[in-house]
Amino acid sequence: MSLLQALRRLGQGPTMQDWPGLIEAYRSWLPVSDATPVITLHEGATPLIPAPVIAERIGRGVKVYLKYDGLNPTGSFKDRGMTMAISKAKEAGSEAVICASTGNTSAAAAAYARRGGMRAFVLIPDGYVAQGKLAQALLYGAEVLAVQGNFDRALAIVREVSERHPVTLVNSLNPYRLQGQKTAAFEVVDALGEAPDWLCIPVGNAGNISAYWMGFNNYRAAGRCRRLPRMMGFQAAGSAPMVLGHVVEQPDTIATAIRIGNPVNRDKALVVEAESNGAFMAVTDAEIIEAYKLLGSGEGVFCEPASAASVAGLLKRREEVPAGATVVCVLTGNGLKDPTTAIEHNDSKFHTGLPPDTDVVAQVMGF
Ligand SMILES: *Cc1c(COP(=O)(O)O)cnc(C)c1O
């Protein structure tokens, strides 16, 4: 039982304000000290939502949960890493940060940097960032540089700039990012009382899968859980360097958040695959969109396309899930980030241009 659950049982009626953000909540597990200024938007503590419709499709008593990290302050798990990276940059006296981003890193970097009183520079691939994410970076006050090239090219530029100029790199090359992100694994174990059998997760730069693995291992070493999950990483078929075993020069997928051809954390992720008896597998854009729609209309959970890769992968590999297993699918980002894809890909009826007439409306409704 978590402290919050215990307090609730006692009838103390904790409010959301009792959650101090993940650095304070997991301070002893993180590389922070009294000298670290904690820059937080009270990220973390995201829900682990049962997914009965997806579980039903798998059958054999398999239990499925969604770790809905789209409910973080800027709408993706990137906030977990960014509260750490920005706090440590502030501690080191940095006045500006920079990142390359397919969108979510830039939104998180902008929000946390500005909250910490720092400048934020973000490089994005021109034309390949979902609208909500671009809106966020601009609204949070970042200086946005759209470069004609993909994420991998933008990252190469950012690395060089941060080596030559006084600006801190906050991509997942920054080791504090993964430290913050590992807290999601703590929350999963805190909620379930044990690690799941499978963890299904979308993979782009492969930082998050590495971070989860670190978190599960930290907890097991301390006796908080007894087992470790198999780590199942899913990539989009047009952008699957971990599956193919080589760099993809022109990555292509509707799931722009994982449109990455040269994963920064490739070596770490290969260790995760080997140690966890896990696997990297590809799902097509069609399978991603099918899972995306099922999550929305079946479970009532709106995630972005990249996030749905975890569920698409689980459904694709359903035969391999042991009977009675517990599976957690990580939903990395909020669906509102990318309204364009939702409006283009859904099976809902959308009756437009109706006259303001009760009888007509009732008739269209089928009454
Ligand atoms: C960043 C991101 C990913 C990929 O995470 P990696 O750590 O790069 O593997 C997946 N989904 C969403 C929504 C993201 O923002």
Side-chain angles (χ1 to χ4, degrees):
M1 190 163 38
S2 73
L3 181 60
L4 267 180
Q5 286 168 323
L7 283 170
R8 257 185 215 123
R9 293 250 168 114
L10 287 170
Q12 305 266 317
T15 64
M16 284 305 281
Q17 211 49 49
D18 291 321
W19 177 259
L22 61 84
I23 293 180
E24 292 305 345
Y26 294 111
R27 180 171 269 275
S28 65
W29 305 87
L30 296 169
V32 290
S33 71
D34 292 344
T36 313
V38 175
I39 313 296
T40 181
L41 290 162
H42 296 231
E43 59 295 312
T46 56
L48 191 67
I49 306 172
V53 171
I54 293 158
E56 175 81 33
R57 295 219 173 171
I58 295 167
R60 293 177 294 114
V62 172
K63 288 182 281 300
V64 180
Y65 295 91
L66 308 169
K67 180 61 174 164
Y68 191 26
D69 250 0
L71 286 187
N72 276 299
T74 80
S76 86
F77 77 86
K78 300 295 198 301
D79 293 346
R80 295 181 180 277
M82 212 51 82
T83 184
M84 276 296 301
I86 298 292
S87 296
K88 295 301 284 189
K90 185 87 181 166
E91 180 179 350
S94 176
E95 289 172 6
V97 301
I98 189 168
C99 66
S101 176
T102 59
N104 284 332
T105 300
S106 59
Y112 285 82
R114 299 302 297 151
R115 194 169 172 89
M118 284 177 254
R119 293 175 75 186
F121 297 96
V122 305
L123 265 71
I124 56 171
D126 205 353
Y128 287 94
V129 168
Q131 249 201 334
K133 304 178 188 183
L134 180 59
Q136 287 181 291
L138 294 168
L139 188 279
Y140 289 136
E143 294 168 55
V144 179
L145 299 98
V147 296
Q148 292 165 351
N150 60 30
F151 168 86
D152 306 289
R153 188 72 200 102
L155 182 64
I157 295 169
V158 159
R159 288 174 86 149
E160 283 174 14
V161 171
S162 69
E163 274 160 25
R164 293 183 203 161
H165 304 283
V167 47
T168 304
L169 181 77
V170 293
N171 277 101
S172 60
L173 286 157
N174 179 318
Y176 299 117
R177 286 273 309 278
L178 301 198
Q179 288 288 332
Q181 286 171 211
K182 76 181 180 184
T183 60
F186 297 166
E187 291 177 16
V188 167
V189 175
D190 288 344
L192 294 175
E194 183 51 274
D197 296 287
W198 277 30
L199 188 95
C200 297
I201 184 167
V203 172
N205 272 310
N208 210 27
I209 193 169
S210 307
Y212 265 89
W213 185 240
M214 178 162 50
F216 287 123
N217 276 279
N218 286 177
Y219 252 27
R220 197 186 59 162
R224 296 283 181 109
C225 56
R226 274 162 301 158
R227 62 175 187 234
L228 292 168
R230 286 186 73 186
M231 303 294 284
M232 307 307 229
F234 295 102
Q235 299 205 285
S239 173
M242 299 300 301
V243 181
L244 299 170
H246 60 75
V247 169
V248 174
E249 294 294 342
Q250 303 286 346
D252 182 35
T253 171
I254 194 167
T256 50
I258 52 173
R259 187 174 168 269
I260 287 161
N262 188 9
V264 169
N265 298 289
R266 179 182 157 278
D267 294 344
K268 281 195 189 76
L270 289 173
V271 173
V272 174
E273 180 186 27
E275 289 184 356
S276 77
N277 187 27
F280 290 105
M281 291 160 286
V283 285
T284 64
D285 278 10
E287 289 163 338
I288 288 173
I289 290 299
E290 202 185 310
Y292 173 69
K293 292 193 292 189
L294 179 64
L295 280 160
S297 63
E299 304 287 10
V301 176
F302 189 19
C303 67
E304 62 177 285
S307 307
S310 62
V311 170
L314 171 63
L315 290 170
K316 190 168 186 168
R317 313 298 288 227
R318 74 183 100 191
E319 309 293 334
E320 293 158 53
V321 186
T326 297
V327 179
V328 171
C329 293
V330 180
L331 298 187
T332 45
N334 196 304
L336 292 169
K337 296 267 191 179
D338 186 359
T340 315
T341 303
I343 290 167
E344 279 170 14
H345 297 274
N346 65 78
D347 298 329
S348 291
K349 292 186 185 133
F350 184 20
H351 310 275
T352 55
L354 299 178
D357 181 292
T358 307
D359 291 338
V360 172
V361 168
Q363 191 189 7
V364 169
M365 290 167 74
F367 294 115

